[in-house]
Amino acid sequence: MDQLIHAVGLDKKFGPIHAVQKVNLTVPAGEVLGFLGPNGAGKSTTMKLLTGFLEPDAGTIHIGGHSMQDQPTLAKAKIGYLPEGAPAYPDMTPSEYLDFLANVRGMQNPQVAKRRVVEQVHIGSVLHQSMETLSKGFRRRVGLAAALLHDPEVLILDEPTDGLDPNQKHEVRLLIRQLGKTKAVVLSTHILEEVEAVCSRAIIINQGLVVFDGTPAELDGKAPADLKHNRLDHVFRTITTTEIAQPGTIS
């Protein structure tokens, strides 16, 4: 399988805080990787490193075969990124925002791409409202539309269902599963049921270090056999509060 994301030895410090420590990460096409960890564990920092939003203190990143350090424009062109909060221009409408992004990217057939993503994330009813009037859920969906606009090979999604109602969450999860058949998807979430519903693989990061890497079934298998409910919650709490984190490899 093609390794669309290939990162080696990622390290990042913010003063005395060692946010990411010697993380190796490979994600092929056709995989949805659930990225888990408590607040402050290093999830968002790792995702910002992968997208080129932050520069690592050490390590290398290749996206679709292009070096983020040496070929940043080519590498970033392969990525669709939904950041935490999905910031956008509040006075623009979703329609204007998508037109603006298509123009910045120099896209061919931008209106075709725009219609595709509007349908994918169901934002047609708010397409001509200003962004500042939209609910948190609709702003999140506009952010997802922006990430999908250029049909990237790699999707890096930070809390993609945050602020969505149950029906919207279901729709977005179905979309991510469909996209994950051909793309490399990294999905950060606090919702453990989302890992079971969407992801083919899961990793847990704690204090900047990888403490679990495996399938959702393998994660569930770490729970006591007689535990009937909240099994993933139990495993997550156990791993992130009692295990001694060691530098890990995500592959």
Side-chain angles (χ1 to χ4, degrees):
M1 291 188 291
D2 294 334
Q3 301 297 336
L4 290 177
I5 302 175
H6 185 72
V8 178
L10 294 185
D11 222 78
K12 185 66 178 178
K13 291 183 179 179
F14 299 99
I17 300 172
H18 207 162
V20 175
Q21 303 185 50
K22 298 180 176 62
V23 168
N24 301 325
L25 171 64
T26 58
V27 186
E31 181 167 86
V32 180
L33 173 65
F35 203 40
L36 301 165
N39 288 334
K43 299 190 305 300
S44 291
T45 299
T46 302
M47 298 177 94
K48 289 175 180 176
L49 293 173
L50 293 176
T51 59
F53 188 85
L54 290 176
E55 186 173 342
D57 297 328
T60 60
I61 300 165
H62 286 79
I63 305 294
H66 300 294
S67 166
M68 185 62 75
Q69 288 90 337
D70 300 330
Q71 303 168 298
T73 301
L74 292 174
K76 291 176 183 179
K78 299 281 187 180
I79 297 172
Y81 179 34
L82 177 66
E84 185 178 14
Y89 299 101
D91 56 337
M92 282 187 177
T93 67
S95 179
E96 292 168 339
Y97 182 50
L98 294 173
D99 288 341
F100 166 73
L101 293 176
N103 184 57
V104 169
R105 289 186 176 276
M107 291 178 57
Q108 301 295 319
N109 302 315
Q111 294 306 309
V112 173
K114 180 178 169 181
R115 287 194 294 270
R116 169 176 52 80
V117 297
V118 167
E119 182 177 339
Q120 281 179 313
V121 302
H122 302 108
I123 56 172
S125 63
V126 300
L127 202 56
H128 302 292
Q129 291 181 218
S130 65
M131 215 86 72
E132 62 188 354
T133 68
L134 300 183
S135 67
K136 181 179 180 181
F138 270 117
R139 289 198 302 270
R140 204 75 185 132
R141 289 160 80 176
V142 172
L144 183 56
L148 294 171
L149 186 63
H150 58 300
D151 195 23
E153 295 179 64
V154 174
L155 285 172
I156 298 179
L157 310 175
D158 201 347
E159 303 282 350
T161 61
D162 183 40
L164 304 186
D165 66 35
N167 290 332
Q168 293 170 339
K169 286 182 180 179
H170 178 70
E171 290 175 359
V172 170
R173 288 170 183 172
L174 288 177
L175 174 60
I176 291 171
R177 278 208 302 268
Q178 182 66 32
L179 294 168
K181 292 179 180 179
T182 57
K183 302 180 187 297
V185 182
V186 179
L187 165 71
S188 169
T189 181
H190 287 292
I191 306 171
L192 291 171
E193 69 179 44
E194 198 153 79
V195 174
E196 290 183 296
V198 176
C199 301
S200 51
R201 182 169 143 228
I203 71 100
I204 296 176
I205 189 170
N206 191 36
Q207 299 177 11
L209 298 166
V210 176
V211 293
F212 174 84
D213 177 11
T215 66
E218 289 168 339
L219 185 62
D220 180 85
K222 294 176 76 71
D226 59 349
L227 185 64
K228 302 301 181 184
H229 304 289
N230 300 318
R231 291 175 59 85
L232 293 187
D233 284 32
H234 174 86
V235 174
F236 180 84
R237 288 195 304 272
T238 300
I239 287 176
T240 58
T241 59
T242 62
E243 289 197 1
I244 299 174
Q246 296 296 328
T249 295
I250 316 170
S251 59

